Amino acid sequence: DTAVSQTPKYLVTQMGNDKSIKCEQNLGHDTMYWYKQDSKKFLKIMFSYNNKELIINETVPNRFSPKSPDKAHLNLHINSLELGDSAVYFCASSLRDLGTEAFFGQGTRLTVV
Amino acid sequence: AQSVTQLGSHVSVSEGALVLLRCNYSSSVPPYLFWYVQYPNQGLQLLLKYTTGATLVKGINGFEAEFKKSETSFHLTKPSAHMSDAAEYFCAVSGPQGAQKLVFGQGTRLTINP
């Protein structure tokens, strides 16, 4: 069973479109994250949710809106996609204490054309 | 604020040789330190972590790292490289309990030569 699963794995879309990426974890963790990995492999946190409550929002444009319907799910909706949004987006989960391991999904490669 | 610097964006070693990937961190609070590995087109997998206690930590696949507070370093080593070790390696830091996020270094690509 996949611990952290993201869908879709690949997403190709045109500028201006709206798209969503879904994430689910079956580890019983209370904290979930979205990270963005750019073309140079640099990883940066975007959002963090703890028990459905937004904890971290790292100066991400308003076009990005995370939604956590329950603590096992964290979805990412992106409005009005831009070329610069092309990246790999990783979902992750952990227990609130980051001394425990953070588990990452396989990533969603978003390409905006 | 916390930050991580990985020295060398690309490291190349021969199969059987020592692997040394360098990581220095900056943190105003006692850090938690991590090494993650990313294989092509895959997510990140934890290799090892330091939180408290013993400063030499052992991880999966024969890797280990030593936390040196005086040098603010957490270098990753493996005595003998294997072809399957070729991947991207990320060092990361977080604060103590409740810090809520990992801050990553820029990554080091490890290439293994036959």
Side-chain angles (χ1 to χ4, degrees), chain A residues 46-63:
Chain A
M46 300 172 68
F47 302 103
S48 168
Y49 271 75
N50 176 257
N51 284 323
K52 303 193 299 177
E53 180 185 352
L54 180 65
I55 301 296
I56 291 175
N57 181 343
E58 288 278 318
T59 60
V60 178
N62 291 337
R63 299 181 295 103

Side-chain angles (χ1 to χ4, degrees), chain B residues 3-32:
Chain B
S3 66
V4 173
T5 301
Q6 291 182 239
L7 298 175
S9 59
H10 187 196
V11 171
S12 181
V13 302
S14 299
E15 191 174 17
L18 172 72
V19 174
L20 171 61
L21 304 183
R22 299 178 187 273
C23 172
N24 288 90
Y25 71 91
S26 173
S27 178
S28 58
V29 297
Y32 288 174

Side-chain angles (χ1 to χ4, degrees), chain B residues 2 4 15 19-20 31 33 36 38 48-49 56 80 88 97 103 114:
Chain B
Q2 296 175 308
V4 173
E15 191 174 17
V19 174
L20 171 61
L33 293 159
Y36 280 85
Q38 184 180 26
L48 48 79
K49 65 182 181 184
L56 181 63
S80 177
E88 194 88 22
Q97 185 171 354
V103 175

Side-chain angles (χ1 to χ4, degrees), chain B residues 31-111:
Chain B
Y32 288 174
L33 293 159
F34 306 80
W35 276 100
Y36 280 85
V37 61
Q38 184 180 26
Y39 298 103
N41 297 315
Q42 294 191 25
L44 281 77
Q45 179 183 8
L46 182 70
L47 277 178
L48 48 79
K49 65 182 181 184
Y50 168 80
T51 53
T52 58
T55 57
L56 181 63
V57 292
K58 295 185 185 298
I60 61 171
N61 302 338
F63 286 93
E64 63 182 38
E66 186 170 10
F67 169 61
K68 293 187 176 180
K69 184 178 178 181
S70 61
E71 299 178 9
T72 61
S73 69
F74 191 57
H75 302 329
L76 182 71
T77 60
K78 181 174 180 177
S80 177
H82 192 273
M83 295 299 291
S84 61
D85 295 327
E88 194 88 22
Y89 291 80
F90 293 92
C91 182
V93 64
S94 73
Q97 185 171 354
Q100 299 302 305
K101 69 177 183 181
L102 289 166
V103 175
F104 285 90
Q106 67 270 41
T108 298
R109 183 190 304 174
L110 177 63
T111 302

Side-chain angles (χ1 to χ4, degrees), chain A residues 22-102:
Chain A
K22 296 186 175 182
C23 179
E24 175 182 5
Q25 55 95 5
N26 62 5
L27 298 166
H29 290 161
D30 57 3
T31 304
M32 296 185 73
Y33 315 82
W34 280 109
Y35 283 84
K36 180 180 180 180
Q37 186 173 46
D38 64 22
S39 58
K40 296 185 178 176
K41 300 281 188 179
F42 185 64
L43 276 154
K44 188 164 192 264
I45 191 165
M46 300 172 68
F47 302 103
S48 168
Y49 271 75
N50 176 257
N51 284 323
K52 303 193 299 177
E53 180 185 352
L54 180 65
I55 301 296
I56 291 175
N57 181 343
E58 288 278 318
T59 60
V60 178
N62 291 337
R63 299 181 295 103
F64 290 78
S65 53
K67 285 189 171 49
S68 181
D70 56 61
K71 70 176 187 179
H73 295 83
L74 180 62
N75 304 322
L76 183 64
H77 187 76
I78 315 170
N79 290 326
S80 304
L81 278 154
E82 301 177 357
L83 292 176
D85 298 331
S86 295
V88 181
Y89 293 85
F90 286 99
C91 177
S93 73
S94 75
L95 294 174
R96 188 179 177 107
D97 178 359
L98 269 177
T100 58
E101 179 177 352

